[in-house]
PDB file of all heavy atoms in Angstrom:
ATOM      1  N   ASP A 849     103.696 127.041  72.238  1.00  0.00           N
ATOM      2  CA  ASP A 849     103.526 126.208  71.005  1.00  0.00           C
ATOM      3  C   ASP A 849     103.672 126.999  69.683  1.00  0.00           C
ATOM      4  O   ASP A 849     104.090 126.483  68.719  1.00  0.00           O
ATOM      5  CB  ASP A 849     102.103 125.600  70.991  1.00  0.00           C
ATOM      6  CG  ASP A 849     101.921 124.376  71.895  1.00  0.00           C
ATOM      7  OD1 ASP A 849     102.904 123.729  71.926  1.00  0.00           O
ATOM      8  OD2 ASP A 849     100.885 124.220  72.398  1.00  0.00           O
ATOM      9  N   ARG A 850     103.053 128.155  69.808  1.00  0.00           N
ATOM     10  CA  ARG A 850     102.949 128.936  68.549  1.00  0.00           C
ATOM     11  C   ARG A 850     104.145 129.804  68.273  1.00  0.00           C
ATOM     12  O   ARG A 850     104.010 130.780  67.378  1.00  0.00           O
ATOM     13  CB  ARG A 850     101.611 129.769  68.653  1.00  0.00           C
ATOM     14  CG  ARG A 850     100.450 128.766  68.605  1.00  0.00           C
ATOM     15  CD  ARG A 850      99.239 129.206  69.323  1.00  0.00           C
ATOM     16  NE  ARG A 850      98.138 128.271  69.216  1.00  0.00           N
ATOM     17  CZ  ARG A 850      97.997 127.207  70.083  1.00  0.00           C
ATOM     18  NH1 ARG A 850      98.825 126.918  70.999  1.00  0.00           N
ATOM     19  NH2 ARG A 850      96.988 126.407  69.903  1.00  0.00           N
ATOM     20  N   LEU A 851     105.259 129.648  68.940  1.00  0.00           N
ATOM     21  CA  LEU A 851     106.447 130.440  68.572  1.00  0.00           C
ATOM     22  C   LEU A 851     106.972 129.800  67.335  1.00  0.00           C
ATOM     23  O   LEU A 851     106.720 130.204  66.262  1.00  0.00           O
ATOM     24  CB  LEU A 851     107.475 130.428  69.771  1.00  0.00           C
ATOM     25  CG  LEU A 851     107.046 131.289  70.955  1.00  0.00           C
ATOM     26  CD1 LEU A 851     108.060 131.023  72.074  1.00  0.00           C
ATOM     27  CD2 LEU A 851     107.045 132.775  70.603  1.00  0.00           C
ATOM     28  N   ASN A 852     107.756 128.752  67.536  1.00  0.00           N
ATOM     29  CA  ASN A 852     108.221 128.011  66.351  1.00  0.00           C
ATOM     30  C   ASN A 852     107.259 126.818  66.230  1.00  0.00           C
ATOM     31  O   ASN A 852     107.476 125.713  66.804  1.00  0.00           O
ATOM     32  CB  ASN A 852     109.652 127.522  66.482  1.00  0.00           C
ATOM     33  CG  ASN A 852     110.047 126.807  65.278  1.00  0.00           C
ATOM     34  OD1 ASN A 852     109.295 126.458  64.407  1.00  0.00           O
ATOM     35  ND2 ASN A 852     111.386 126.497  65.162  1.00  0.00           N
ATOM     36  N   TYR A 853     106.174 126.993  65.361  1.00  0.00           N
ATOM     37  CA  TYR A 853     105.187 126.045  65.334  1.00  0.00           C
ATOM     38  C   TYR A 853     105.602 124.667  64.609  1.00  0.00           C
ATOM     39  O   TYR A 853     104.869 123.740  64.642  1.00  0.00           O
ATOM     40  CB  TYR A 853     103.838 126.578  64.739  1.00  0.00           C
ATOM     41  CG  TYR A 853     104.040 127.545  63.733  1.00  0.00           C
ATOM     42  CD1 TYR A 853     104.475 127.209  62.483  1.00  0.00           C
ATOM     43  CD2 TYR A 853     103.938 128.884  63.984  1.00  0.00           C
ATOM     44  CE1 TYR A 853     104.667 128.199  61.460  1.00  0.00           C
ATOM     45  CE2 TYR A 853     104.112 129.903  63.035  1.00  0.00           C
ATOM     46  CZ  TYR A 853     104.489 129.521  61.848  1.00  0.00           C
ATOM     47  OH  TYR A 853     104.690 130.431  60.822  1.00  0.00           O
ATOM     48  N   CYS A 854     106.729 124.643  63.908  1.00  0.00           N
ATOM     49  CA  CYS A 854     107.212 123.485  63.375  1.00  0.00           C
ATOM     50  C   CYS A 854     107.843 122.546  64.351  1.00  0.00           C
ATOM     51  O   CYS A 854     107.994 121.305  64.186  1.00  0.00           O
ATOM     52  CB  CYS A 854     108.219 123.675  62.276  1.00  0.00           C
ATOM     53  SG  CYS A 854     107.522 124.488  60.860  1.00  0.00           S
ATOM     54  N   SER A 855     108.245 123.051  65.539  1.00  0.00           N
ATOM     55  CA  SER A 855     108.762 122.286  66.561  1.00  0.00           C
ATOM     56  C   SER A 855     108.186 122.748  67.897  1.00  0.00           C
ATOM     57  O   SER A 855     108.895 123.032  68.779  1.00  0.00           O
ATOM     58  CB  SER A 855     110.287 122.258  66.538  1.00  0.00           C
ATOM     59  OG  SER A 855     110.679 123.614  66.635  1.00  0.00           O
ATOM     60  N   SER A 856     106.801 122.588  67.963  1.00  0.00           N
ATOM     61  CA  SER A 856     106.133 123.258  69.042  1.00  0.00           C
ATOM     62  C   SER A 856     106.592 122.670  70.384  1.00  0.00           C
ATOM     63  O   SER A 856     106.750 123.435  71.357  1.00  0.00           O
ATOM     64  CB  SER A 856     104.593 123.001  68.896  1.00  0.00           C
ATOM     65  OG  SER A 856     104.365 121.639  68.647  1.00  0.00           O
ATOM     66  N   MET A 857     106.769 121.409  70.462  1.00  0.00           N
ATOM     67  CA  MET A 857     107.049 120.869  71.866  1.00  0.00           C
ATOM     68  C   MET A 857     108.438 121.350  72.469  1.00  0.00           C
ATOM     69  O   MET A 857     108.640 121.421  73.586  1.00  0.00           O
ATOM     70  CB  MET A 857     106.994 119.299  71.900  1.00  0.00           C
ATOM     71  CG  MET A 857     106.685 118.901  73.304  1.00  0.00           C
ATOM     72  SD  MET A 857     106.424 117.288  73.599  1.00  0.00           S
ATOM     73  CE  MET A 857     105.301 116.666  72.419  1.00  0.00           C
ATOM     74  N   MET A 858     109.329 121.616  71.428  1.00  0.00           N
ATOM     75  CA  MET A 858     110.659 122.183  72.017  1.00  0.00           C
ATOM     76  C   MET A 858     110.448 123.506  72.737  1.00  0.00           C
ATOM     77  O   MET A 858     111.090 123.704  73.760  1.00  0.00           O
ATOM     78  CB  MET A 858     111.600 122.362  70.805  1.00  0.00           C
ATOM     79  CG  MET A 858     112.181 121.131  70.332  1.00  0.00           C
ATOM     80  SD  MET A 858     113.331 121.559  69.061  1.00  0.00           S
ATOM     81  CE  MET A 858     114.748 120.791  69.683  1.00  0.00           C
ATOM     82  N   ASN A 859     109.550 124.279  72.227  1.00  0.00           N
ATOM     83  CA  ASN A 859     109.226 125.531  72.915  1.00  0.00           C
ATOM     84  C   ASN A 859     108.616 125.325  74.272  1.00  0.00           C
ATOM     85  O   ASN A 859     108.946 125.946  75.271  1.00  0.00           O
ATOM     86  CB  ASN A 859     108.338 126.423  72.151  1.00  0.00           C
ATOM     87  CG  ASN A 859     108.737 126.527  70.677  1.00  0.00           C
ATOM     88  OD1 ASN A 859     109.981 126.659  70.407  1.00  0.00           O
ATOM     89  ND2 ASN A 859     107.811 126.568  69.786  1.00  0.00           N
ATOM     90  N   ASN A 860     107.689 124.273  74.303  1.00  0.00           N
ATOM     91  CA  ASN A 860     107.046 123.949  75.590  1.00  0.00           C
ATOM     92  C   ASN A 860     108.237 123.568  76.598  1.00  0.00           C
ATOM     93  O   ASN A 860     108.160 124.075  77.750  1.00  0.00           O
ATOM     94  CB  ASN A 860     106.160 122.720  75.511  1.00  0.00           C
ATOM     95  CG  ASN A 860     105.034 122.893  74.505  1.00  0.00           C
ATOM     96  OD1 ASN A 860     104.492 121.971  74.120  1.00  0.00           O
ATOM     97  ND2 ASN A 860     104.703 124.090  74.233  1.00  0.00           N
ATOM     98  N   ILE A 861     109.047 122.797  76.186  1.00  0.00           N
ATOM     99  CA  ILE A 861     110.066 122.274  77.087  1.00  0.00           C
ATOM    100  C   ILE A 861     111.077 123.390  77.427  1.00  0.00           C
ATOM    101  O   ILE A 861     111.350 123.567  78.654  1.00  0.00           O
ATOM    102  CB  ILE A 861     110.828 121.047  76.417  1.00  0.00           C
ATOM    103  CG1 ILE A 861     109.839 119.919  76.262  1.00  0.00           C
ATOM    104  CG2 ILE A 861     111.998 120.687  77.264  1.00  0.00           C
ATOM    105  CD1 ILE A 861     110.370 118.719  75.403  1.00  0.00           C
ATOM    106  N   ALA A 862     111.438 124.158  76.514  1.00  0.00           N
ATOM    107  CA  ALA A 862     112.399 125.270  76.859  1.00  0.00           C
ATOM    108  C   ALA A 862     111.732 126.213  77.870  1.00  0.00           C
ATOM    109  O   ALA A 862     112.380 126.659  78.806  1.00  0.00           O
ATOM    110  CB  ALA A 862     112.661 126.017  75.616  1.00  0.00           C
ATOM    111  N   TYR A 863     110.404 126.514  77.698  1.00  0.00           N
ATOM    112  CA  TYR A 863     109.758 127.358  78.553  1.00  0.00           C
ATOM    113  C   TYR A 863     109.733 126.842  79.971  1.00  0.00           C
ATOM    114  O   TYR A 863     110.052 127.501  80.978  1.00  0.00           O
ATOM    115  CB  TYR A 863     108.387 127.714  78.032  1.00  0.00           C
ATOM    116  CG  TYR A 863     107.569 128.460  78.982  1.00  0.00           C
ATOM    117  CD1 TYR A 863     107.663 129.804  79.211  1.00  0.00           C
ATOM    118  CD2 TYR A 863     106.522 127.727  79.683  1.00  0.00           C
ATOM    119  CE1 TYR A 863     106.837 130.500  80.162  1.00  0.00           C
ATOM    120  CE2 TYR A 863     105.755 128.445  80.590  1.00  0.00           C
ATOM    121  CZ  TYR A 863     105.876 129.789  80.817  1.00  0.00           C
ATOM    122  OH  TYR A 863     105.122 130.434  81.710  1.00  0.00           O
ATOM    123  N   VAL A 864     109.197 125.654  80.155  1.00  0.00           N
ATOM    124  CA  VAL A 864     109.004 125.148  81.506  1.00  0.00           C
ATOM    125  C   VAL A 864     110.441 124.871  82.133  1.00  0.00           C
ATOM    126  O   VAL A 864     110.543 125.080  83.346  1.00  0.00           O
ATOM    127  CB  VAL A 864     108.182 123.838  81.536  1.00  0.00           C
ATOM    128  CG1 VAL A 864     106.762 124.079  81.365  1.00  0.00           C
ATOM    129  CG2 VAL A 864     108.673 122.754  80.700  1.00  0.00           C
ATOM    130  N   LYS A 865     111.370 124.494  81.409  1.00  0.00           N
ATOM    131  CA  LYS A 865     112.742 124.396  81.897  1.00  0.00           C
ATOM    132  C   LYS A 865     113.192 125.681  82.605  1.00  0.00           C
ATOM    133  O   LYS A 865     113.729 125.686  83.642  1.00  0.00           O
ATOM    134  CB  LYS A 865     113.696 123.980  80.854  1.00  0.00           C
ATOM    135  CG  LYS A 865     115.171 123.917  81.173  1.00  0.00           C
ATOM    136  CD  LYS A 865     115.983 123.353  80.130  1.00  0.00           C
ATOM    137  CE  LYS A 865     117.477 123.631  80.402  1.00  0.00           C
ATOM    138  NZ  LYS A 865     117.916 125.018  80.132  1.00  0.00           N
ATOM    139  N   ALA A 866     112.842 126.832  81.839  1.00  0.00           N
ATOM    140  CA  ALA A 866     113.334 128.068  82.346  1.00  0.00           C
ATOM    141  C   ALA A 866     112.560 128.392  83.708  1.00  0.00           C
ATOM    142  O   ALA A 866     113.177 128.934  84.647  1.00  0.00           O
ATOM    143  CB  ALA A 866     112.998 129.205  81.322  1.00  0.00           C
ATOM    144  N   VAL A 867     111.288 128.158  83.811  1.00  0.00           N
ATOM    145  CA  VAL A 867     110.567 128.425  85.028  1.00  0.00           C
ATOM    146  C   VAL A 867     111.069 127.529  86.101  1.00  0.00           C
ATOM    147  O   VAL A 867     111.274 127.942  87.268  1.00  0.00           O
ATOM    148  CB  VAL A 867     109.057 128.264  84.742  1.00  0.00           C
ATOM    149  CG1 VAL A 867     108.267 128.492  86.103  1.00  0.00           C
ATOM    150  CG2 VAL A 867     108.549 129.114  83.686  1.00  0.00           C
ATOM    151  N   GLU A 868     111.243 126.234  85.723  1.00  0.00           N
ATOM    152  CA  GLU A 868     111.734 125.269  86.854  1.00  0.00           C
ATOM    153  C   GLU A 868     113.128 125.653  87.313  1.00  0.00           C
ATOM    154  O   GLU A 868     113.311 125.447  88.561  1.00  0.00           O
ATOM    155  CB  GLU A 868     111.747 123.873  86.181  1.00  0.00           C
ATOM    156  CG  GLU A 868     110.348 123.269  86.069  1.00  0.00           C
ATOM    157  CD  GLU A 868     110.323 122.129  85.099  1.00  0.00           C
ATOM    158  OE1 GLU A 868     111.390 121.777  84.468  1.00  0.00           O
ATOM    159  OE2 GLU A 868     109.245 121.525  84.850  1.00  0.00           O
ATOM    160  N   SER A 869     113.972 126.101  86.438  1.00  0.00           N
ATOM    161  CA  SER A 869     115.338 126.437  86.984  1.00  0.00           C
ATOM    162  C   SER A 869     115.267 127.541  88.049  1.00  0.00           C
ATOM    163  O   SER A 869     115.982 127.451  88.981  1.00  0.00           O
ATOM    164  CB  SER A 869     116.222 126.846  85.731  1.00  0.00           C
ATOM    165  OG  SER A 869     115.804 128.036  85.221  1.00  0.00           O
ATOM    166  N   TRP A 870     114.327 128.415  87.892  1.00  0.00           N
ATOM    167  CA  TRP A 870     114.163 129.485  88.879  1.00  0.00           C
ATOM    168  C   TRP A 870     113.630 129.007  90.103  1.00  0.00           C
ATOM    169  O   TRP A 870     113.940 129.323  91.283  1.00  0.00           O
ATOM    170  CB  TRP A 870     113.339 130.693  88.284  1.00  0.00           C
ATOM    171  CG  TRP A 870     113.200 131.803  89.273  1.00  0.00           C
ATOM    172  CD1 TRP A 870     112.117 132.260  89.814  1.00  0.00           C
ATOM    173  CD2 TRP A 870     114.294 132.673  89.725  1.00  0.00           C
ATOM    174  NE1 TRP A 870     112.311 133.378  90.597  1.00  0.00           N
ATOM    175  CE2 TRP A 870     113.611 133.664  90.586  1.00  0.00           C
ATOM    176  CE3 TRP A 870     115.577 132.752  89.542  1.00  0.00           C
ATOM    177  CZ2 TRP A 870     114.380 134.609  91.182  1.00  0.00           C
ATOM    178  CZ3 TRP A 870     116.360 133.780  90.150  1.00  0.00           C
ATOM    179  CH2 TRP A 870     115.715 134.686  91.008  1.00  0.00           C
ATOM    180  N   LEU A 871     112.566 128.126  90.044  1.00  0.00           N
ATOM    181  CA  LEU A 871     111.905 127.494  91.193  1.00  0.00           C
ATOM    182  C   LEU A 871     112.859 126.506  91.930  1.00  0.00           C
ATOM    183  O   LEU A 871     112.583 126.022  93.038  1.00  0.00           O
ATOM    184  CB  LEU A 871     110.652 126.793  90.765  1.00  0.00           C
ATOM    185  CG  LEU A 871     109.512 127.680  90.400  1.00  0.00           C
ATOM    186  CD1 LEU A 871     108.449 126.873  89.723  1.00  0.00           C
ATOM    187  CD2 LEU A 871     108.931 128.413  91.648  1.00  0.00           C
ATOM    188  N   GLY A 872     114.013 126.228  91.227  1.00  0.00           N
ATOM    189  CA  GLY A 872     114.896 125.142  91.853  1.00  0.00           C
ATOM    190  C   GLY A 872     114.368 123.794  91.852  1.00  0.00           C
ATOM    191  O   GLY A 872     114.690 122.961  92.657  1.00  0.00           O
ATOM    192  N   ILE A 873     113.489 123.527  90.849  1.00  0.00           N
ATOM    193  CA  ILE A 873     112.853 122.178  90.723  1.00  0.00           C
ATOM    194  C   ILE A 873     113.797 121.323  89.918  1.00  0.00           C
ATOM    195  O   ILE A 873     114.197 121.584  88.755  1.00  0.00           O
ATOM    196  CB  ILE A 873     111.560 122.305  90.067  1.00  0.00           C
ATOM    197  CG1 ILE A 873     110.534 122.993  90.974  1.00  0.00           C
ATOM    198  CG2 ILE A 873     110.925 120.879  89.733  1.00  0.00           C
ATOM    199  CD1 ILE A 873     109.195 123.271  90.366  1.00  0.00           C
TER     200      ILE A 873
END
Side-chain angles (χ1 to χ4, degrees):
Chain A
D849 276 330
R850 290 147 180 89
L851 288 172
N852 180 349
Y853 33 76
C854 288
S855 51
S856 50
M857 203 177 309
M858 284 185 122
N859 311 321
N860 298 162
I861 295 173
Y863 168 78
V864 289
K865 173 175 165 286
V867 180
E868 284 159 0
S869 67
W870 181 244
L871 289 167
I873 291 175

